[in-house]
Amino acid sequence: MKLYHHPLSGHAHRPRLFLSLLGVPHEAVEVDLNAGAHKAPEFLALNPFGQVPVLDDDGTIIADSNAILVYVARKLGRTDWLPEDPQGAAAVQRWLSVAAGELAYGPAAARLVTVFGASFNPEEVIGRAHTLLRRLESHLAGRDWLVGERPTIADVALYSYLARAPEGNVDLSGYPQVGAFLRRIEDLPGFLPFAQTPAGLTAA
């Protein structure tokens, strides 16, 4: 497997983290976003949307971070990470939708402002982030994981942007359940840290 990524992309960290947790050998190919490599014809041939990550599994091309999580779990038969029963599968899908929705337009968007120079309204996206964090804090009360009794790809999908939310000026100190959840993921065998943005550096 070959994974095209950028070290400061939370979307790209998701599949890197999952592959590391599973101990799956793969080649990590860094895409130089600053140089516009994600808009070059050869990369657009892999993903016409011009976004990382992209997985090349011996010629099978999978774009989109959540799609890659599903693909890897299904290909390897990891029903512990992606349940096959209707209720479990639906519960995981619900959180994948949150990762693509509330997380993307809250904590991820707030970080895009400070790290990538995006033009979102900081007050608005930080407010969305705290709305999501309050819901997560309530959901995690009395439970270790988002779905069931063990980690799933739902937890992987939310980890990266939650862990780096402070880079977008989103304070996590008022959410002890969320903080404990992040530490549980970080304690998993094979955990791969998400690169912290160096002070004063943007990736755009």
Side-chain angles (χ1 to χ4, degrees):
M1 290 185 178
K2 183 183 295 183
L3 182 70
Y4 295 86
H5 77 106
H6 187 278
L8 298 183
S9 165
H11 283 76
H13 182 253
R14 287 173 185 162
R16 291 202 72 203
L17 172 58
F18 190 43
L19 290 168
S20 182
L21 291 172
L22 297 186
V24 177
H26 63 283
E27 178 186 356
V29 179
E30 184 172 335
V31 178
D32 190 346
L33 302 184
N34 283 319
H38 55 308
K39 303 302 182 183
E42 56 269 27
F43 188 83
L44 292 175
L46 297 173
N47 181 7
F49 287 89
Q51 299 168 333
V52 292
V54 175
L55 182 72
D56 181 350
D57 181 19
D58 196 23
T60 298
I61 307 300
I62 309 295
D64 180 82
S65 58
N66 289 339
I68 295 171
L69 297 182
V70 171
Y71 175 83
V72 171
R74 288 283 188 236
K75 173 170 179 154
L76 300 180
R78 297 303 299 261
T79 57
D80 49 341
W81 286 92
L82 179 55
E84 290 186 318
D85 66 284
Q87 184 175 356
V92 168
Q93 180 58 57
R94 177 200 178 198
W95 289 107
L96 295 183
S97 296
V98 170
E102 289 90 339
L103 185 74
Y105 293 101
R111 183 175 174 272
L112 282 173
V113 173
T114 58
V115 176
F116 289 88
S119 58
F120 296 114
N121 181 318
E123 184 178 346
E124 181 179 353
V125 293
I126 290 172
R128 289 178 188 162
H130 284 291
T131 296
L132 172 60
L133 285 163
R134 287 191 293 269
R135 291 171 180 165
L136 282 171
E137 186 74 7
S138 177
H139 179 76
L140 289 166
R143 66 169 69 223
D144 288 341
W145 308 105
L146 294 173
V147 177
E149 301 300 319
R150 56 157 293 116
T152 67
I153 62 171
D155 304 293
V156 175
L158 266 66
Y159 170 80
S160 305
Y161 284 120
L162 289 177
R164 287 287 171 261
E167 290 185 353
N169 297 316
V170 177
D171 185 4
L172 297 180
S173 63
Y175 306 98
Q177 300 292 341
V178 173
F181 165 73
L182 296 175
R183 289 190 294 274
R184 280 190 289 273
I185 295 176
E186 291 159 3
D187 287 339
L188 291 172
F191 172 77
L192 178 72
F194 182 13
Q196 188 163 6
T197 306
L201 175 68
T202 63

